PDB file of all heavy atoms in Angstrom:
ATOM      1  N   LEU A 283      -6.685  -7.283 -12.616  1.00  0.00           N
ATOM      2  CA  LEU A 283      -6.637  -7.723 -14.030  1.00  0.00           C
ATOM      3  C   LEU A 283      -5.252  -7.443 -14.665  1.00  0.00           C
ATOM      4  O   LEU A 283      -4.767  -8.387 -15.381  1.00  0.00           O
ATOM      5  CB  LEU A 283      -7.719  -6.949 -14.794  1.00  0.00           C
ATOM      6  CG  LEU A 283      -7.863  -7.340 -16.305  1.00  0.00           C
ATOM      7  CD1 LEU A 283      -8.161  -8.875 -16.463  1.00  0.00           C
ATOM      8  CD2 LEU A 283      -8.958  -6.533 -16.889  1.00  0.00           C
ATOM      9  N   ARG A 285      -2.438  -7.538 -13.109  1.00  0.00           N
ATOM     10  CA  ARG A 285      -1.524  -8.609 -12.487  1.00  0.00           C
ATOM     11  C   ARG A 285      -1.798  -9.967 -13.231  1.00  0.00           C
ATOM     12  O   ARG A 285      -0.823 -10.635 -13.528  1.00  0.00           O
ATOM     13  CB  ARG A 285      -1.806  -8.716 -10.997  1.00  0.00           C
ATOM     14  CG  ARG A 285      -1.355  -7.517 -10.262  1.00  0.00           C
ATOM     15  CD  ARG A 285      -1.641  -7.550  -8.808  1.00  0.00           C
ATOM     16  NE  ARG A 285      -0.859  -8.598  -8.155  1.00  0.00           N
ATOM     17  CZ  ARG A 285      -1.053  -9.040  -6.965  1.00  0.00           C
ATOM     18  NH1 ARG A 285      -2.050  -8.595  -6.198  1.00  0.00           N
ATOM     19  NH2 ARG A 285      -0.223  -9.970  -6.461  1.00  0.00           N
ATOM     20  N   PRO A 313      -2.421  11.273  -4.429  1.00  0.00           N
ATOM     21  CA  PRO A 313      -1.172  10.627  -4.584  1.00  0.00           C
ATOM     22  C   PRO A 313      -0.762   9.694  -3.439  1.00  0.00           C
ATOM     23  O   PRO A 313       0.134   8.879  -3.630  1.00  0.00           O
ATOM     24  CB  PRO A 313      -0.149  11.749  -4.786  1.00  0.00           C
ATOM     25  CG  PRO A 313      -0.813  12.877  -4.112  1.00  0.00           C
ATOM     26  CD  PRO A 313      -2.291  12.720  -4.253  1.00  0.00           C
ATOM     27  N   GLY A 322       0.922   2.218  -8.434  1.00  0.00           N
ATOM     28  CA  GLY A 322       2.280   2.862  -8.761  1.00  0.00           C
ATOM     29  C   GLY A 322       3.406   1.871  -8.593  1.00  0.00           C
ATOM     30  O   GLY A 322       4.291   1.707  -9.458  1.00  0.00           O
ATOM     31  N   THR A 339      10.582   4.662 -13.315  1.00  0.00           N
ATOM     32  CA  THR A 339      10.543   3.552 -12.340  1.00  0.00           C
ATOM     33  C   THR A 339      11.045   4.051 -10.950  1.00  0.00           C
ATOM     34  O   THR A 339      10.413   3.839  -9.923  1.00  0.00           O
ATOM     35  CB  THR A 339      11.425   2.384 -12.767  1.00  0.00           C
ATOM     36  OG1 THR A 339      10.932   1.857 -14.006  1.00  0.00           O
ATOM     37  CG2 THR A 339      11.464   1.253 -11.681  1.00  0.00           C
ATOM     38  N   GLU A 344      10.203   5.198  -5.416  1.00  0.00           N
ATOM     39  CA  GLU A 344      10.561   6.094  -4.342  1.00  0.00           C
ATOM     40  C   GLU A 344       9.372   6.696  -3.658  1.00  0.00           C
ATOM     41  O   GLU A 344       9.278   6.775  -2.408  1.00  0.00           O
ATOM     42  CB  GLU A 344      11.500   7.171  -4.824  1.00  0.00           C
ATOM     43  CG  GLU A 344      12.939   6.686  -5.012  1.00  0.00           C
ATOM     44  CD  GLU A 344      13.866   7.780  -5.568  1.00  0.00           C
ATOM     45  OE1 GLU A 344      13.428   8.929  -5.726  1.00  0.00           O
ATOM     46  OE2 GLU A 344      15.044   7.476  -5.797  1.00  0.00           O
ATOM     47  N   GLY A 350       4.507   4.388   1.842  1.00  0.00           N
ATOM     48  CA  GLY A 350       4.338   3.138   2.607  1.00  0.00           C
ATOM     49  C   GLY A 350       4.982   3.213   3.970  1.00  0.00           C
ATOM     50  O   GLY A 350       4.440   2.652   4.904  1.00  0.00           O
ATOM     51  N   PHE A 361       4.346  -3.778   1.008  1.00  0.00           N
ATOM     52  CA  PHE A 361       5.503  -2.922   1.435  1.00  0.00           C
ATOM     53  C   PHE A 361       6.799  -3.684   1.196  1.00  0.00           C
ATOM     54  O   PHE A 361       7.746  -3.060   0.793  1.00  0.00           O
ATOM     55  CB  PHE A 361       5.322  -2.429   2.853  1.00  0.00           C
ATOM     56  CG  PHE A 361       6.424  -1.382   3.200  1.00  0.00           C
ATOM     57  CD1 PHE A 361       6.403  -0.162   2.522  1.00  0.00           C
ATOM     58  CD2 PHE A 361       7.312  -1.662   4.162  1.00  0.00           C
ATOM     59  CE1 PHE A 361       7.416   0.783   2.791  1.00  0.00           C
ATOM     60  CE2 PHE A 361       8.267  -0.676   4.485  1.00  0.00           C
ATOM     61  CZ  PHE A 361       8.320   0.521   3.796  1.00  0.00           C
ATOM     62  N   VAL A 371      16.338  -1.276  -8.123  1.00  0.00           N
ATOM     63  CA  VAL A 371      16.510   0.063  -8.758  1.00  0.00           C
ATOM     64  C   VAL A 371      17.776   0.716  -8.172  1.00  0.00           C
ATOM     65  O   VAL A 371      18.614   1.246  -8.925  1.00  0.00           O
ATOM     66  CB  VAL A 371      15.286   0.938  -8.591  1.00  0.00           C
ATOM     67  CG1 VAL A 371      15.546   2.357  -9.033  1.00  0.00           C
ATOM     68  CG2 VAL A 371      14.132   0.302  -9.368  1.00  0.00           C
ATOM     69  N   ALA A 373      20.251  -0.697  -6.638  1.00  0.00           N
ATOM     70  CA  ALA A 373      21.506  -1.398  -6.972  1.00  0.00           C
ATOM     71  C   ALA A 373      22.020  -1.013  -8.305  1.00  0.00           C
ATOM     72  O   ALA A 373      23.286  -0.922  -8.463  1.00  0.00           O
ATOM     73  CB  ALA A 373      21.152  -2.922  -6.906  1.00  0.00           C
ATOM     74  N   ALA A 388      13.324  -5.313   4.019  1.00  0.00           N
ATOM     75  CA  ALA A 388      12.082  -6.033   3.750  1.00  0.00           C
ATOM     76  C   ALA A 388      12.002  -7.217   4.657  1.00  0.00           C
ATOM     77  O   ALA A 388      10.862  -7.516   5.233  1.00  0.00           O
ATOM     78  CB  ALA A 388      12.062  -6.441   2.319  1.00  0.00           C
ATOM     79  N   TYR A 391      11.223  -6.006   8.198  1.00  0.00           N
ATOM     80  CA  TYR A 391       9.891  -5.534   8.321  1.00  0.00           C
ATOM     81  C   TYR A 391       8.918  -6.776   8.406  1.00  0.00           C
ATOM     82  O   TYR A 391       8.048  -6.758   9.284  1.00  0.00           O
ATOM     83  CB  TYR A 391       9.552  -4.654   7.061  1.00  0.00           C
ATOM     84  CG  TYR A 391       8.166  -4.095   7.041  1.00  0.00           C
ATOM     85  CD1 TYR A 391       7.886  -2.944   7.717  1.00  0.00           C
ATOM     86  CD2 TYR A 391       7.120  -4.780   6.399  1.00  0.00           C
ATOM     87  CE1 TYR A 391       6.581  -2.419   7.709  1.00  0.00           C
ATOM     88  CE2 TYR A 391       5.841  -4.277   6.377  1.00  0.00           C
ATOM     89  CZ  TYR A 391       5.526  -3.097   7.035  1.00  0.00           C
ATOM     90  OH  TYR A 391       4.273  -2.594   7.026  1.00  0.00           O
ATOM     91  N   LEU A 435       9.133 -22.669   4.096  1.00  0.00           N
ATOM     92  CA  LEU A 435       7.971 -22.774   3.147  1.00  0.00           C
ATOM     93  C   LEU A 435       7.454 -24.233   2.990  1.00  0.00           C
ATOM     94  O   LEU A 435       6.282 -24.343   2.623  1.00  0.00           O
ATOM     95  CB  LEU A 435       8.284 -22.147   1.836  1.00  0.00           C
ATOM     96  CG  LEU A 435       8.501 -20.649   1.779  1.00  0.00           C
ATOM     97  CD1 LEU A 435       9.039 -20.187   0.404  1.00  0.00           C
ATOM     98  CD2 LEU A 435       7.161 -19.970   2.096  1.00  0.00           C
TER      99      LEU A 435
END
Side-chain angles (χ1 to χ4, degrees):
L283 183 57
R285 292 176 68 192
T339 301
E344 284 177 359
F361 188 64
V371 170
Y391 182 86
L435 291 170

